[in-house]
PDB file of all heavy atoms in Angstrom:
ATOM      1  N   ASP A 341      55.761 -64.372  92.393  1.00  0.00           N
ATOM      2  CA  ASP A 341      56.439 -63.179  92.900  1.00  0.00           C
ATOM      3  C   ASP A 341      55.893 -62.840  94.290  1.00  0.00           C
ATOM      4  O   ASP A 341      54.687 -62.949  94.546  1.00  0.00           O
ATOM      5  CB  ASP A 341      56.218 -62.004  91.950  1.00  0.00           C
ATOM      6  CG  ASP A 341      57.008 -60.772  92.354  1.00  0.00           C
ATOM      7  OD1 ASP A 341      58.196 -60.683  91.986  1.00  0.00           O
ATOM      8  OD2 ASP A 341      56.442 -59.912  93.051  1.00  0.00           O
ATOM      9  N   SER A 342      56.771 -62.424  95.184  1.00  0.00           N
ATOM     10  CA  SER A 342      56.375 -62.167  96.569  1.00  0.00           C
ATOM     11  C   SER A 342      55.310 -61.091  96.695  1.00  0.00           C
ATOM     12  O   SER A 342      54.558 -61.065  97.673  1.00  0.00           O
ATOM     13  CB  SER A 342      57.607 -61.778  97.404  1.00  0.00           C
ATOM     14  OG  SER A 342      58.204 -60.595  96.896  1.00  0.00           O
ATOM     15  N   SER A 343      55.207 -60.201  95.707  1.00  0.00           N
ATOM     16  CA  SER A 343      54.218 -59.117  95.795  1.00  0.00           C
ATOM     17  C   SER A 343      52.784 -59.624  95.693  1.00  0.00           C
ATOM     18  O   SER A 343      51.845 -58.911  96.051  1.00  0.00           O
ATOM     19  CB  SER A 343      54.479 -58.083  94.687  1.00  0.00           C
ATOM     20  OG  SER A 343      54.287 -58.655  93.398  1.00  0.00           O
ATOM     21  N   LEU A 344      52.602 -60.861  95.209  1.00  0.00           N
ATOM     22  CA  LEU A 344      51.259 -61.400  95.045  1.00  0.00           C
ATOM     23  C   LEU A 344      50.692 -61.993  96.327  1.00  0.00           C
ATOM     24  O   LEU A 344      49.475 -62.064  96.494  1.00  0.00           O
ATOM     25  CB  LEU A 344      51.234 -62.491  93.959  1.00  0.00           C
ATOM     26  CG  LEU A 344      50.932 -62.025  92.532  1.00  0.00           C
ATOM     27  CD1 LEU A 344      52.057 -61.146  92.016  1.00  0.00           C
ATOM     28  CD2 LEU A 344      50.737 -63.226  91.611  1.00  0.00           C
ATOM     29  N   TYR A 345      51.550 -62.438  97.238  1.00  0.00           N
ATOM     30  CA  TYR A 345      51.075 -63.171  98.407  1.00  0.00           C
ATOM     31  C   TYR A 345      50.484 -62.257  99.466  1.00  0.00           C
ATOM     32  O   TYR A 345      50.948 -61.138  99.686  1.00  0.00           O
ATOM     33  CB  TYR A 345      52.208 -63.988  99.032  1.00  0.00           C
ATOM     34  CG  TYR A 345      52.691 -65.115  98.165  1.00  0.00           C
ATOM     35  CD1 TYR A 345      53.920 -65.047  97.531  1.00  0.00           C
ATOM     36  CD2 TYR A 345      51.908 -66.249  97.966  1.00  0.00           C
ATOM     37  CE1 TYR A 345      54.377 -66.079  96.730  1.00  0.00           C
ATOM     38  CE2 TYR A 345      52.353 -67.288  97.170  1.00  0.00           C
ATOM     39  CZ  TYR A 345      53.585 -67.196  96.553  1.00  0.00           C
ATOM     40  OH  TYR A 345      54.024 -68.217  95.757  1.00  0.00           O
ATOM     41  N   VAL A 346      49.439 -62.765 100.132  1.00  0.00           N
ATOM     42  CA  VAL A 346      48.869 -62.066 101.274  1.00  0.00           C
ATOM     43  C   VAL A 346      49.716 -62.411 102.496  1.00  0.00           C
ATOM     44  O   VAL A 346      49.787 -63.578 102.895  1.00  0.00           O
ATOM     45  CB  VAL A 346      47.412 -62.504 101.517  1.00  0.00           C
ATOM     46  CG1 VAL A 346      46.878 -61.846 102.775  1.00  0.00           C
ATOM     47  CG2 VAL A 346      46.553 -62.159 100.312  1.00  0.00           C
ATOM     48  N   PRO A 347      50.414 -61.425 103.085  1.00  0.00           N
ATOM     49  CA  PRO A 347      51.289 -61.738 104.227  1.00  0.00           C
ATOM     50  C   PRO A 347      50.496 -61.965 105.506  1.00  0.00           C
ATOM     51  O   PRO A 347      49.410 -61.427 105.695  1.00  0.00           O
ATOM     52  CB  PRO A 347      52.161 -60.484 104.335  1.00  0.00           C
ATOM     53  CG  PRO A 347      51.286 -59.391 103.833  1.00  0.00           C
ATOM     54  CD  PRO A 347      50.446 -60.000 102.728  1.00  0.00           C
ATOM     55  N   ILE A 348      51.039 -62.780 106.389  1.00  0.00           N
ATOM     56  CA  ILE A 348      50.493 -62.982 107.724  1.00  0.00           C
ATOM     57  C   ILE A 348      51.544 -62.519 108.717  1.00  0.00           C
ATOM     58  O   ILE A 348      52.718 -62.851 108.597  1.00  0.00           O
ATOM     59  CB  ILE A 348      50.132 -64.463 107.988  1.00  0.00           C
ATOM     60  CG1 ILE A 348      48.892 -64.836 107.169  1.00  0.00           C
ATOM     61  CG2 ILE A 348      49.880 -64.707 109.459  1.00  0.00           C
ATOM     62  CD1 ILE A 348      48.405 -66.229 107.413  1.00  0.00           C
ATOM     63  N   LYS A 349      51.134 -61.721 109.676  1.00  0.00           N
ATOM     64  CA  LYS A 349      52.064 -61.143 110.631  1.00  0.00           C
ATOM     65  C   LYS A 349      52.883 -62.220 111.327  1.00  0.00           C
ATOM     66  O   LYS A 349      52.345 -63.194 111.848  1.00  0.00           O
ATOM     67  CB  LYS A 349      51.297 -60.327 111.676  1.00  0.00           C
ATOM     68  CG  LYS A 349      52.189 -59.485 112.573  1.00  0.00           C
ATOM     69  CD  LYS A 349      51.357 -58.596 113.471  1.00  0.00           C
ATOM     70  CE  LYS A 349      52.247 -57.726 114.331  1.00  0.00           C
ATOM     71  NZ  LYS A 349      51.448 -56.846 115.228  1.00  0.00           N
ATOM     72  N   GLY A 350      54.195 -62.059 111.284  1.00  0.00           N
ATOM     73  CA  GLY A 350      55.095 -62.992 111.941  1.00  0.00           C
ATOM     74  C   GLY A 350      55.458 -64.189 111.098  1.00  0.00           C
ATOM     75  O   GLY A 350      56.165 -65.077 111.551  1.00  0.00           O
ATOM     76  N   CYS A 351      54.968 -64.232 109.835  1.00  0.00           N
ATOM     77  CA  CYS A 351      55.251 -65.364 108.957  1.00  0.00           C
ATOM     78  C   CYS A 351      55.921 -64.892 107.683  1.00  0.00           C
ATOM     79  O   CYS A 351      55.884 -63.717 107.341  1.00  0.00           O
ATOM     80  CB  CYS A 351      53.959 -66.106 108.595  1.00  0.00           C
ATOM     81  SG  CYS A 351      53.100 -66.828 110.005  1.00  0.00           S
ATOM     82  N   LYS A 352      56.544 -65.823 107.002  1.00  0.00           N
ATOM     83  CA  LYS A 352      57.104 -65.514 105.694  1.00  0.00           C
ATOM     84  C   LYS A 352      55.959 -65.262 104.718  1.00  0.00           C
ATOM     85  O   LYS A 352      54.831 -65.697 104.943  1.00  0.00           O
ATOM     86  CB  LYS A 352      57.981 -66.670 105.208  1.00  0.00           C
ATOM     87  CG  LYS A 352      59.218 -66.889 106.060  1.00  0.00           C
ATOM     88  CD  LYS A 352      60.045 -68.028 105.501  1.00  0.00           C
ATOM     89  CE  LYS A 352      61.305 -68.233 106.343  1.00  0.00           C
ATOM     90  NZ  LYS A 352      62.126 -69.347 105.821  1.00  0.00           N
ATOM     91  N   PRO A 353      56.230 -64.571 103.599  1.00  0.00           N
ATOM     92  CA  PRO A 353      55.160 -64.259 102.652  1.00  0.00           C
ATOM     93  C   PRO A 353      54.387 -65.474 102.166  1.00  0.00           C
ATOM     94  O   PRO A 353      53.179 -65.436 102.067  1.00  0.00           O
ATOM     95  CB  PRO A 353      55.905 -63.580 101.496  1.00  0.00           C
ATOM     96  CG  PRO A 353      57.120 -62.995 102.128  1.00  0.00           C
ATOM     97  CD  PRO A 353      57.507 -63.973 103.197  1.00  0.00           C
ATOM     98  N   LYS A 354      55.109 -66.560 101.863  1.00  0.00           N
ATOM     99  CA  LYS A 354      54.429 -67.747 101.343  1.00  0.00           C
ATOM    100  C   LYS A 354      54.109 -68.699 102.488  1.00  0.00           C
ATOM    101  O   LYS A 354      55.000 -69.265 103.112  1.00  0.00           O
ATOM    102  CB  LYS A 354      55.298 -68.437 100.300  1.00  0.00           C
ATOM    103  CG  LYS A 354      54.593 -69.601  99.620  1.00  0.00           C
ATOM    104  CD  LYS A 354      55.463 -70.199  98.531  1.00  0.00           C
ATOM    105  CE  LYS A 354      54.741 -71.330  97.842  1.00  0.00           C
ATOM    106  NZ  LYS A 354      55.559 -71.945  96.788  1.00  0.00           N
ATOM    107  N   VAL A 355      52.831 -68.868 102.795  1.00  0.00           N
ATOM    108  CA  VAL A 355      52.413 -69.730 103.899  1.00  0.00           C
ATOM    109  C   VAL A 355      51.223 -70.565 103.458  1.00  0.00           C
ATOM    110  O   VAL A 355      50.583 -70.281 102.450  1.00  0.00           O
ATOM    111  CB  VAL A 355      52.023 -68.899 105.150  1.00  0.00           C
ATOM    112  CG1 VAL A 355      53.209 -68.120 105.676  1.00  0.00           C
ATOM    113  CG2 VAL A 355      50.889 -67.946 104.815  1.00  0.00           C
ATOM    114  N   ILE A 356      50.922 -71.585 104.244  1.00  0.00           N
ATOM    115  CA  ILE A 356      49.757 -72.409 103.986  1.00  0.00           C
ATOM    116  C   ILE A 356      48.639 -71.965 104.918  1.00  0.00           C
ATOM    117  O   ILE A 356      48.850 -71.792 106.106  1.00  0.00           O
ATOM    118  CB  ILE A 356      50.073 -73.903 104.243  1.00  0.00           C
ATOM    119  CG1 ILE A 356      51.232 -74.340 103.354  1.00  0.00           C
ATOM    120  CG2 ILE A 356      48.838 -74.752 103.976  1.00  0.00           C
ATOM    121  CD1 ILE A 356      50.956 -74.194 101.865  1.00  0.00           C
TER     122      ILE A 356
END
Side-chain angles (χ1 to χ4, degrees):
D341 186 84
S342 61
S343 64
L344 269 66
Y345 293 108
V346 176
I348 288 183
K349 190 174 182 180
C351 298
K352 295 181 179 180
K354 186 176 181 181
V355 297
I356 302 300

